[in-house]
Amino acid sequence: MSVVPSENPARRTFILDNLRAWPGGCLETMAMTFVVLIAVRVFEADAWQKATLVAASSCGLLLSLFPVQLVRRTGISVNLATALLWIISAGSLVVAVIGGSCFKVFLPAMAVALLCITLSIPLMSQIYRKHYPDRSRGRLFASTAVVRKASALLAALVFGKVLENDLDDFKLVLLIYAICCVLMAVCVLAIKPVYLQRSNQVRLFGALEHVRKDRVFRSLLTSWMILGFGNLLCWSIFVEYVSNPDYGYELTEFTIAFITGSLPEIMFLLTVVIWGIVFDRVNFFLVRMILNVFFMCGVLFYFFGDGMWGLCVGISLHGIGRAGGNIAWSLWVTKFAKADQVAEYMSVHTFMCGVRGVIAPFVAFPVIALFGPRAVGGAGFILIMVATLMIWPHLRGKTAIGVNGS
């Protein structure tokens, strides 16, 4: 069966989103690996500065309630709003390049760039809900994710080698990231415009009403909050753990980029389409629990395993979990929300992600400095286990939704 949908606008959206996936995958390596690696190796940033950079993306999630409501208020298309955010990111990256070796320029410029990239997430979910059919949304999203992760894998290898040869070339890497933002904006503007129902009396926190009214949505948000905090504690220090010689590893920039950037992307690439099919066909709560098991095992191996072998197995398991988690995280609200409310549901979800994402790095970096990486890994494991146990009653009680929200 052909992956490309035959009907428009799904076909047009799928093709353009696959084109967008190439620069999008390249950009993913910025938040995952290189922003912290540059901060550590080029600027020798302290714990709070590194935490600020890690938290910047989460600030975008925290503020993501507002772009959706402003789109409703202004009446502009979701596409245009998304493109504008990516153009702002591109401008911020150029500022960081111009700033050169001045960390006082690099820090705020990178924070704005990361923030604006994540502000666009709920808006893209609305595009997927509008243009992709329910029966194949997960598969189509996963197919695009293969392209995105192939790009991320290539970028991680190339950029890791570039920085290993000369750390001063970080400015070239940032400039490439800026170009990627512009290319993404062009692609989303070419997709058939999506509009939300316009309202002249929009409340910026109005989307939070869905938490009060939708019991299953509220329950999942609570479990996801605990899961996400545990995962983010560990994710915040993945690069720090292997790049800081204080924790016992003497690795090159290329090796660090391969372990924290390329290896999880390889596992993502190998499994994401399978997860897309599973998302379309299997009970969502069961999928969520299985994903959590991969995250728990990944954390155990990464922080408690033996040397390079433990690092590679742990990050690989985490990459497999991230493959399914990316689909579940991006599309799960399409199983709950009415068609015109997907962006609002997603904005609540990303808002809650932002709350924990802003807090987690400022907990993780001081804890690793005081108690070591295993304390962070242990705390993350326990939190993910608690979140998984919270989902079990829904599965047993058959309150979970099935395919296409049924």
Side-chain angles (χ1 to χ4, degrees), residues 13-29 86 124 128 132 140-155 180-181 183-188 191 265 268-269 326:
T13 301
F14 182 76
I15 293 172
L16 287 166
D17 205 38
N18 272 277
L19 291 175
R20 185 186 71 88
W22 286 106
C26 183
L27 268 173
E28 284 188 4
T29 64
W86 289 337
M124 284 304 301
Y128 296 138
Y132 285 168
L140 294 174
F141 183 86
S143 299
T144 302
V146 170
V147 179
R148 191 172 69 248
K149 291 305 176 179
S151 173
L153 174 60
L154 181 62
C180 287
C181 287
L183 293 175
M184 286 171 51
V186 171
C187 289
V188 79
I191 294 174
E265 301 303 344
F268 189 110
L269 198 61
N326 182 257

Side-chain angles (χ1 to χ4, degrees), residues 158-167 251-255:
V158 172
F159 292 167
K161 203 65 181 177
V162 167
L163 294 178
E164 184 180 30
N165 291 334
D166 189 350
L167 279 173
L251 305 178
T252 67
E253 285 77 9
F254 178 78
T255 304

Side-chain angles (χ1 to χ4, degrees), residues 210-223:
H210 298 302
V211 180
R212 181 178 63 85
K213 295 177 180 179
D214 192 326
R215 182 181 63 85
V216 178
F217 182 53
R218 181 172 64 248
S219 178
L220 254 181
L221 280 177
T222 304
S223 172

Side-chain angles (χ1 to χ4, degrees), residues 3 13 24-25 31 53 77 95 97 103 117 130 143 179 185 209 214 234 243 260 286 301 314 323 340 359 369 384:
V3 175
T13 301
L53 288 170
S77 71
V95 170
V97 172
F103 192 67
I117 289 171
K130 179 69 174 178
S143 299
I179 294 171
E209 283 292 307
D214 192 326
C234 301
S243 63
T260 63
L286 178 60
F301 276 99
D340 192 55
I359 297 171
I384 298 171

